[in-house]
Amino acid sequence: MTKRYLNDLPKIGIRPAIDGRRNGVRESLEKTTMAMAHATAQFLTETLRYFNGQPVEVVIADTCIGGVAEANMAAEKFRKEGVGVSITVTPCWCYGSETMDMDPHTPKAIWGFNGTERPGAVYLAAVLAAHNQKGLPAFGIYGEDVQDAGDQTIPQDVQEKLLRFTKAALVVAMMRGKSYLSIGSVSMGIAGSIVKDDFFQEYLGMRNESIDSTELLRRLELGIYDEEEFTHAYKWVKKNFTVGKDQNKETYKRSEDKKEEDLKTSIKMAIIGRDLMIGNKKLADKGFIEESMGRNALIAGFQGQRQWTDHYPNGDFMETILNSSFDWNGKRAPFLMATENDSLNGVTMAFGHLLTNTAQIFADVRTYWSPKAVERVTGSAPTGKASAGFIHLLNSGAAALDGTGQQNIDGKPVLKPFWEITDEEVASCIEATQLRPASTEYFRGGGFSTDFTTKGDMPVTIARLNIVKGLGPVLQIAEGFTVELDDHAHLLLDERTDPTWPTTWFVPNLTGEGAFTDVYSVMANWGANHCVMSYGHVGADFITLASMFRIPVNMHNVPAKDIYRPSAWGMFGTSQIEQADYGACKVFGPLYK
């Protein structure tokens, strides 16, 4: 498989900790402790994959860790092997601060075996206390039910914590050292596209790269792209996509010849946008060695509006096809590109993608439709999940074609990792989409938008990262479902805004309290004009990840039993866990500061 980024994929390091007393105690535990490490490694490699579909790689310390010397030996091995995630496992008492992982930037978890023969739980409590005292937050894993000594099975509740921790920890490790690439600058005064380099550096361990939009123009005009790939891509688009109705007034419609040139430019922009992110060896063959190297960008953002789109075709097709799980070259992991260079939504896309390995839906949080308003406009009140009202998610660009909901499992709409998507599902996603000539009211330079409607009854999570002066970054989360409206209602409501854009009707799960008192409250408390929609109810994974970055969560509807944060968070209070989260994040500060 072709390596996408310059950095190697981070590995998971397993640290088998042991009671260091020789002449009987340690010797009796060696086999059991190392077996626990191998069972953990096997479970993770069989269950988790990286974004590229490869099983995660696990490194186990060469020896059990009974004290400082072996802890350092393990740390050195992990450094050489590229370990980015640390999991300590033990069935027994060990010497806490002597055996702990001291790397300040590596997310850490400790699984203390719940057994009565040897006090693994005592070590867990001791070493977590050491982590907290030293300011190195760690996640505790302790099974609810007592197991017999030597039992190598991993209980279900332990599995859940191992997976929740490891998925989030791998995101932290994968983002470290990557770039956010701004193509252009601030779009229409949108705060999220005022890129805060201190945030990227101190919280995420990422660097910021920036180019002017004229670089895109230079590559278009000088042919700095693979012409063979463009020819292939153009034929693929012409064969597979339907061009829908042009909604523009006759005065503002572009000629058919001009629209065809717009389509060609849009495809070239997609190729160039990808090349800007990760490079393209074929450019070196054309003499463009510098351009061939790319920016090692995990995320990019395209300003587009207005300076570019007032004169050139918009970036909607580029954003949509890059964010999708497939293109003319076949199925592959999405390339994350944020509309309007909204870097904070771009980061949220990275969170969602790396947690789930699926494409993300970038959208405006456009309109709250109350039942009363729906009935006034359509003549009938909404029913089912939509009966309490819903939110219209809509944006001209960046909504991945996976968002059509045309992938399925057992007949139910889903979003899948690219390696699970069938060729038939790719065709269905495209068939459910129309390329629509762009509204020249918004985009004077023409171009194409993608028009589709997301299928209903999908469990989804919307999320958004915001930055508040004096507070820093905060994350908000809303789990819920997509819904479908009847054709009459859909057309009437969709036509009230730009109907050439992808539409998702979203209903949050309500708790009857705070921001989730009702659907209106969710809309009213949303922190910005954009959100990211991920497949599945994955809010708990977002919360765990946010705690690793020391980003507090100001709004969520995740059940309390599913919230999993480092042990230290409990020391800031257990009855008001939202405030405890704020306190812990403030005290520990950004991960890389």
Side-chain angles (χ1 to χ4, degrees):
M1 180 175 291
T2 302
K3 183 177 176 181
R4 177 176 290 190
Y5 302 109
L6 300 177
N7 319 64
D8 291 330
L9 291 170
K11 298 174 184 176
I12 302 164
I14 308 293
R15 307 174 73 254
I18 198 167
D19 191 323
R21 288 173 285 196
R22 298 280 183 172
N23 299 322
V25 177
R26 175 166 177 155
E27 289 82 357
S28 70
L29 294 164
E30 287 275 4
K31 183 177 180 181
T32 300
T33 304
M34 192 57 78
M36 190 176 177
H38 282 279
T40 303
Q42 182 178 356
F43 168 68
L44 294 175
T45 55
E46 291 178 349
T47 308
L48 295 178
R49 296 195 184 195
Y50 297 112
F51 74 93
N52 65 0
Q54 293 178 320
V56 297
E57 291 188 60
V58 178
V59 176
I60 300 175
D62 291 332
T63 67
C64 290
I65 301 169
V68 173
E70 288 162 324
N72 278 276
M73 289 165 59
E76 182 63 12
K77 178 178 183 178
F78 288 0
R79 184 187 65 80
K80 292 178 179 178
E81 293 278 356
V83 166
V85 176
S86 171
I87 302 175
T88 300
V89 300
T90 187
C92 61
W93 165 254
C94 317
Y95 303 154
S97 62
E98 296 182 14
T99 59
M100 65 187 285
D101 182 348
M102 295 287 289
D103 188 313
H105 297 151
T106 303
K108 303 166 187 52
I110 301 102
W111 174 22
F113 184 80
N114 185 359
T116 56
E117 290 85 355
R118 295 286 185 176
V122 179
Y123 168 70
L124 176 62
V127 77
L128 288 174
H131 277 281
N132 296 344
Q133 187 167 318
K134 292 175 181 293
L136 300 170
F139 290 77
I141 302 174
Y142 180 57
E144 182 175 349
D145 298 319
V146 173
Q147 294 177 260
D148 296 330
D151 184 353
Q152 292 303 315
T153 61
I154 304 177
Q156 183 63 37
D157 61 327
V158 172
Q159 290 184 21
E160 290 175 2
K161 284 186 170 64
L162 281 171
L163 291 178
R164 182 148 291 149
F165 165 78
T166 307
K167 284 194 292 185
L170 282 170
V171 176
V172 173
M174 283 190 279
M175 294 184 75
R176 186 185 306 143
K178 304 296 193 308
S179 303
Y180 178 89
L181 173 63
S182 297
I183 304 174
S185 184
V186 179
S187 174
M188 301 183 295
I190 293 173
S193 62
I194 304 172
V195 181
K196 309 283 283 185
D197 59 336
D198 286 350
F199 162 70
F200 278 88
Q201 177 182 326
E202 295 177 3
Y203 280 89
L204 308 177
M206 295 179 64
R207 64 190 300 149
N208 294 94
E209 297 293 315
S210 180
I211 59 173
D212 191 85
S213 297
T214 52
E215 172 61 11
L216 189 61
L217 182 61
R218 182 179 78 95
R219 295 193 183 205
L220 284 167
E221 292 185 350
L222 298 183
I224 307 176
Y225 56 87
D226 183 349
E227 285 95 342
E228 289 186 9
E229 182 180 4
F230 164 69
T231 299
H232 171 61
Y234 177 67
K235 290 179 179 177
W236 180 82
V237 171
K238 293 291 289 183
K239 177 182 177 181
N240 291 285
F241 281 88
T242 299
V243 176
K245 180 182 177 182
D246 189 338
Q247 293 283 120
N248 292 295
K249 297 177 182 179
E250 289 298 326
T251 307
Y252 299 107
K253 285 184 178 178
R254 295 161 77 82
S255 69
E256 293 303 312
D257 287 345
K258 186 59 179 173
K259 283 189 281 192
E260 196 65 22
E261 287 303 310
D262 289 347
L263 179 60
K264 292 178 180 179
T265 299
S266 296
I267 296 168
K268 292 174 184 177
M269 287 170 64
I271 295 172
I272 293 170
R274 180 207 61 204
D275 291 352
L276 287 166
M277 292 178 71
I278 66 164
N280 187 341
K281 293 180 179 179
K282 291 189 176 181
L283 299 184
D285 297 336
K286 299 179 68 174
F288 298 104
I289 297 174
E290 180 183 359
E291 293 84 348
S292 72
M293 300 181 73
R295 305 281 176 151
N296 199 36
L298 174 68
I299 321 163
F302 178 59
Q303 175 193 338
Q305 298 189 76
R306 281 187 38 219
Q307 287 76 12
W308 178 273
T309 57
D310 275 2
H311 192 58
Y312 296 104
N314 64 15
D316 288 8
F317 178 81
M318 170 179 65
E319 295 157 1
T320 294
I321 202 67
L322 289 178
N323 283 316
S324 299
S325 298
F326 50 83
D327 60 16
W328 42 85
N329 293 320
K331 290 166 280 188
R332 42 81 177 146
F335 294 91
L336 305 174
M337 182 170 284
T339 295
E340 294 154 351
N341 197 27
D342 185 346
S343 63
L344 298 181
N345 225 44
V347 169
T348 314
M349 290 173 73
F351 288 177
H353 171 55
L354 295 176
L355 282 170
T356 67
N357 290 331
T358 59
Q360 304 296 292
I361 312 304
F362 183 114
D364 280 352
V365 185
R366 193 84 175 187
T367 310
Y368 161 66
W369 279 99
S370 68
K372 182 178 179 180
V374 174
E375 186 170 10
R376 177 180 62 82
V377 173
T378 69
S380 59
T383 59
K385 285 187 174 70
S387 60
F390 48 85
I391 296 172
H392 192 181
L393 304 181
L394 180 87
N395 190 282
S396 67
L401 298 179
D402 307 62
T404 56
Q406 294 296 321
Q407 301 158 23
N408 73 87
I409 296 176
D410 297 329
K412 296 180 180 180
V414 301
L415 272 68
K416 297 179 180 179
F418 76 89
W419 60 87
E420 295 180 4
I421 300 172
T422 67
D423 292 340
E424 291 75 18
E425 288 169 337
V426 170
S428 295
C429 290
I430 296 172
E431 187 177 345
T433 305
Q434 288 188 337
L435 290 181
R436 300 288 296 273
S439 168
T440 52
E441 178 184 1
Y442 289 102
F443 306 116
R444 299 173 187 171
F448 286 86
S449 298
T450 47
D451 179 15
F452 64 76
T453 303
T454 302
K455 290 185 73 66
D457 208 31
M458 286 199 296
V460 295
T461 302
I462 65 170
R464 167 73 192 189
L465 187 69
N466 299 293
I467 290 180
V468 179
K469 179 72 173 180
L471 173 62
V474 292
L475 184 68
Q476 53 189 169
I477 300 160
E479 295 183 340
F481 288 87
T482 61
V483 294
E484 291 182 40
L485 309 182
D486 63 70
D487 291 344
H488 173 71
H490 170 81
L491 287 173
L492 283 175
L493 302 188
D494 201 39
E495 290 284 340
R496 291 173 70 95
T497 184
D498 195 311
T500 69
W501 298 347
T503 276
T504 302
W505 306 110
F506 170 73
V507 174
N509 294 338
L510 302 178
T511 65
E513 298 179 351
F516 293 91
T517 300
D518 48 35
V519 180
Y520 171 80
S521 298
V522 176
M523 178 78 177
N525 281 280
W526 206 250
N529 54 307
H530 292 151
C531 77
V532 173
M533 188 179 81
S534 306
Y535 176 75
H537 288 158
V538 293
D541 293 331
F542 272 92
I543 288 173
T544 295
L545 175 62
S547 70
M548 293 180 180
F549 285 124
R550 289 64 174 292
I551 296 173
V553 178
N554 72 296
M555 168 182 166
H556 73 83
N557 57 351
V558 176
K561 65 180 179 62
D562 296 329
I563 296 175
Y564 186 41
R565 291 181 171 123
S567 158
W569 266 238
M571 303 299 152
F572 291 82
T574 57
S575 63
Q576 295 181 327
I577 58 175
E578 183 174 290
Q579 293 309 310
D581 181 32
Y582 274 82
C585 291
K586 180 179 180 180
V587 166
F588 289 116
L591 181 58
Y592 301 102
K593 189 170 182 179

